[in-house]
Each structure stands twice: as structure tokens, then as C-alpha cells.
Amino acid sequence: MYSDQWCSCKLISLTKIFLNSCYISQIATPLKITDAKIESIQALFEWTFVRVYSGDLYGTGEAGMAPGLKGAQNSLRRILVGEDAFKVTRIQEKLESAGLYGGTSFYHTISAVNMALHDLIGKHLNIPVWELLGGSREKIPLYVDAHAGTGLGAMDSLQLPLEVESYDEFGVKVRQKKDDSSPMMGRLTEEKWSDVYKPEEYARRAKNLVREGFLGIKFDLDIPTPYTAEHRLRSGQVSLKEVEYMGDIVKAIREEVGDEIELMMDFHWRYNMNSAARICKALEPYRLRWVEDLTPAQRSVTNFDELRMLAGKSTIPIATGENLYTSYQFKDLIDTGVTVWTPDLAKAGGITEGRRISELASMYDFEFSPHNISSPIGTMASAHACSIANTLGLLEFHSYGFPLWNNIAKSTHRLIGGGFIELNDVPGLGVELDEKLLKASYPSFDI
């Protein structure tokens, strides 16, 4: 009997040694990059995918929205082809050097490449990215971005509004609005007040989202009200009646969902300092988890002094970060009093920088709640990065009620359920693009 047990143990040990040696052998063998492709589609947002090949094997990543990303495809091939995909840090540094004069938008491409490399390596090693990173969280909590009484309309990569012609499970057809030439965000918006901005419509939408199992909901309050005046809007000001109206909206939501649901409000960089302070004071009674991007301090350039002053005026936690790039900029955020960090990993540097940012947040016990308007590719990449975040709050989901989001994803598991993304044992990011559907919906799609 003991001899049989010894033989069994010996067999298990030899099997482990064999599997470990195979794993080490896979790592020791370079994973040469043979090609790279970029493709964009216009959905509710513009989604740009980067695919990195090693022979027949490939990984897919996603770049945050920015104009002209596809134009870098040929140069990207020159940089990547021949590199060893395992050398993620070397490739990241090479891309950062290449994009020196490309501005922040090139970081969107860098982020997508980084995600694609992790997907490729995970597939090659037959291991999911979250385990590759050493993650331990298998359920990633989500909050849903609700906009207002209905979802946010479509926009192109310059945030110009698009008119939706049709909208179904196969795609979204849009056209430019001829009479609207201003971006949807900011002080020059041409949006007008309508019934979707009534407090009762916000409350109704919140009630429906709670039924879906989401743990938190974020609404937009940089909206037209019955009291909006162009001269105030242009200066980033709000009147007492406008602030009272905002308060009525938040009160209606809170009364509808109760105290178990986290509520956040987004202002998209619209207001000046005094108006922002006035808004924060008015919203204090409603126990918000955070208020986000009240002033223009952090759009594509930064004014950390302004953030520091605003944080000193508000008892509600301030959130920001979706337009910051790399851990270097988040390092400069530490002394501002901003305690909720919201990096968008499809812009900030991908999974590698996401890890660095989350570790930096962990050092100061700041909440790490990534911004995310991505397709399933970027969303899953963010979820894998969240698995290792010590101070993880909630990951954003921005495509509720948009059928194409789910339908372009091919996965053996349901991606979202009960307000969570459940990570699994599928190698890589655990999701693929349904290229057949995409080519049917977007005939020029080629990746």
C-alpha cells in the first residue's frame, strides 16, 4: 500500500515538474511579433482596436477615443515587428519614445498595444491575464453610467454629437448633426433642456438600474435646466435656481434607491470654482460617494492647484483621472486632496500603467475606480487590472442598454451579471471580437 502511495505521489511530482518545465520553456522561447493592425468603428463612441500577432496567435487591445488613431498602423508595425512580446516593458518604453511628439493621444495606442500584449502572452501560456498578474479578485464590482433620464447619445472622437439613424443588436448607424457643431461636453454645448432632465426621469432610470443589480450609479449633472442661461453657461456659472434644480434631481434619485446604492455625479469640467463649491454644498445632504470633474482643472491639460483648492472646499470626495496619463501624472495628484482616482486604462498606459497607478493609490489608501467607456475588450482588460488593486472601488460600465456591446463579444462566459464582472480561467483577456458580426455591420472592418 505504501509503495502504491509513493508511486502515486512520485507521479504527481513528476507531472508538476514536467508542466513547470513546459511553462518555463514557453517563457524562455521568444514570442516574436509578426504583425500589428489597427481598426476603428463608430458605435455610441468610437472604439479602436489594436491587434498584435505572433504567427497565427494574436492578442487584442483597445485604445481610448481619439481622432486619427488608425493612421499610425504602418509606423506601429515598424516599431513592433520582430520584438519579443514577453518584453512588455521594453516595448512600452520604445513606444513612449516613438510618441514623443505625438502628444497624449499616442498613449491611447500605447495602451491598446499593452493590453494586446497581455492578451497574447496569456493565450500563449494558457493562463488568464488576472492570474498572470498575480491577481486575487475574481469578482470585479461595477457601477453603471446612466447619463440622465435616458442614455447618452452617440458622439464621434471629437465629442461632436451624432444622430442615430438605427440602433439594434447588429450595430448602430449614425450621421452627423448638421445644425450642431459644438462638442457635447463643456461650456459651448448647444444641448437644450427636455423631459429627460426632469428629476422624476432620473429617479425612474435609477430604479430600473438597481433592478439590474448594479451596486452604484453615476449620473450627469452638467445638463441644461429650465433656468440655464447662455451668458452663465459660457462663464461656467450656475444660478441658485440651477443648483436647486440639481439638488432636486439628486434628492429624487436618493429617495428612490435608498442608502444601499452608491451614487456619483459627473460634471464634465464645466463649472468655475465658485459655482463648483456652490454645487458641492447643495449636494452634501445626499451622501454621494463622489463628485467628478467639476472644473476644467483636468481635461487634457492639468491644473492641480485648482483641484487642491476645490478639494478644500468640498466635504464630498472629489474624483478625477480619466484624462491623466501614466503613473507620473497620478503621482502629482497625491497632494491635491483628490481621494478617488479614475484612470482610463485605455488611455493612461494599459494594464502595466494601471498596475502602477493602483499601487500608488494603495500607498495612500486612495480609492481606485477606473473610468471606462470601452467595448468588451477594453472593459475586460480593465477588469483584469482591477484584480490586483488593493483599494479597488468600482469599475465603470458605460454601455448599458446598447445591444452591440454584448453582441460583438465572443466569450464562453457571461461577461456581466449582478453588478459584477466575474473573471474566469479563459486564457488571455477571456473575450474575443465577433468579427463576422462586425464585418456585417461595418463592411470595411479588417483586423
Side-chain angles (χ1 to χ4, degrees), residues 92-380:
Q92 194 93 344
E93 185 176 348
K94 192 175 183 183
L95 288 168
E96 288 171 355
S97 296
L100 183 62
Y101 294 110
T104 54
S105 63
F106 192 67
Y107 262 97
H108 300 218
T109 303
I110 293 173
S111 302
V113 170
N114 186 269
M115 293 177 186
L117 291 176
H118 280 85
D119 189 32
L120 175 61
I121 292 168
K123 290 174 180 174
H124 178 69
L125 298 177
N126 198 36
I127 187 172
V129 169
W130 68 276
E131 287 190 350
L132 185 69
L133 298 172
S136 59
R137 296 179 188 267
E138 297 181 45
K139 292 182 68 174
I140 307 303
L142 300 173
Y143 76 86
V144 61
D145 190 298
H147 180 52
T150 188
L152 183 69
M155 67 172 70
D156 68 12
S157 60
L158 287 175
Q159 298 192 76
L160 295 175
L162 299 172
E163 187 173 352
V164 178
E165 293 181 327
S166 66
Y167 185 108
D168 57 30
E169 66 270 27
F170 300 108
V172 55
K173 292 183 179 179
V174 296
R175 64 186 175 196
Q176 292 181 346
K177 284 189 174 182
K178 295 180 181 179
D179 59 343
D180 198 337
S181 61
S182 290
M184 292 176 69
M185 309 299 181
R187 298 175 183 175
L188 295 174
T189 177
E190 297 172 14
E191 192 176 17
K192 304 299 182 184
W193 184 81
S194 68
D195 285 351
V196 301
Y197 299 118
K198 289 183 175 179
E200 55 266 34
E201 289 302 305
Y202 274 80
R204 179 194 56 80
R205 185 161 170 80
K207 181 178 180 180
N208 291 336
L209 292 169
V210 169
R211 287 174 178 167
E212 294 289 326
F214 290 103
L215 305 177
I217 310 172
K218 185 170 77 177
F219 285 99
D220 295 339
L221 282 186
D222 58 316
I223 57 164
T225 77
Y227 312 103
T228 298
E230 192 278 334
H231 71 278
R232 284 197 299 268
L233 175 63
R234 184 67 190 274
S235 300
Q237 298 173 357
V238 287
S239 68
L240 288 174
K241 292 295 291 183
E242 286 178 278
V243 173
E244 183 181 13
Y245 190 82
M246 291 179 184
D248 289 343
I249 290 173
V250 181
K251 180 182 179 182
I253 299 168
R254 177 58 78 194
E255 289 178 348
E256 182 62 57
V257 303
D259 290 337
E260 287 299 309
I261 301 300
E262 297 285 1
L263 295 180
M264 297 77 77
M265 299 295 147
D266 198 343
F267 297 86
H268 296 107
W269 318 282
R270 181 169 292 186
Y271 301 104
N272 66 26
M273 182 66 70
N274 288 338
S275 293
R278 174 178 277 184
I279 291 167
C280 289
K281 185 67 176 177
L283 300 185
E284 279 181 357
Y286 308 115
R287 301 172 300 281
L288 298 177
R289 183 164 180 144
W290 73 65
V291 287
E292 183 172 341
D293 293 328
L294 282 141
T295 67
Q298 188 262 307
R299 289 187 291 187
S300 55
V301 292
T302 54
N303 181 354
F304 290 116
D305 288 338
E306 185 174 299
L307 288 172
R308 186 178 297 108
M309 287 185 281
L310 179 59
K313 292 176 179 289
S314 175
T315 60
I316 307 171
I318 304 294
T320 199
E322 68 189 70
N323 286 330
L324 294 181
Y325 295 85
T326 80
S327 54
Y328 290 103
Q329 285 199 301
F330 279 90
K331 178 263 296 180
D332 292 338
L333 196 61
I334 290 170
D335 293 330
T336 63
V338 172
T339 55
V340 182
W341 289 8
T342 60
D344 189 320
L345 305 192
K347 300 162 63 175
I351 292 171
T352 295
E353 281 299 320
R355 176 174 206 146
R356 291 170 180 163
I357 294 165
S358 72
E359 289 173 348
L360 191 58
S362 176
M363 292 175 65
Y364 296 88
D365 279 310
F366 295 154
E367 179 174 339
F368 178 80
S369 286
H371 175 265
N372 169 51
I373 60 172
S374 293
S375 81
I377 298 295
T379 300
M380 288 303 293

Side-chain angles (χ1 to χ4, degrees), residues 39-107:
E39 186 57 278
S40 296
I41 64 170
Q42 177 64 60
L44 291 183
F45 301 103
E46 185 175 279
W47 290 335
T48 297
F49 307 106
V50 173
R51 183 164 285 176
V52 176
Y53 287 85
S54 181
D56 293 333
L57 194 64
Y58 62 80
T60 309
E62 183 171 353
M65 189 168 61
L69 295 180
K70 188 176 178 180
Q73 178 171 276
N74 290 337
S75 295
L76 188 66
R77 281 174 171 154
R78 288 181 61 193
I79 293 168
L80 294 179
V81 170
E83 289 287 341
D84 180 0
F86 279 116
K87 295 181 170 58
V88 176
T89 303
R90 169 186 161 82
I91 292 170
Q92 194 93 344
E93 185 176 348
K94 192 175 183 183
L95 288 168
E96 288 171 355
S97 296
L100 183 62
Y101 294 110
T104 54
S105 63
F106 192 67
Y107 262 97

Side-chain angles (χ1 to χ4, degrees), residues 405-427:
W405 191 93
N406 283 299
N407 293 334
I408 67 169
K410 292 173 65 177
S411 176
T412 58
H413 298 71
R414 183 183 178 190
L415 296 182
I416 294 176
F420 290 87
I421 289 177
E422 293 198 32
L423 301 174
N424 51 59
D425 59 357
V426 178

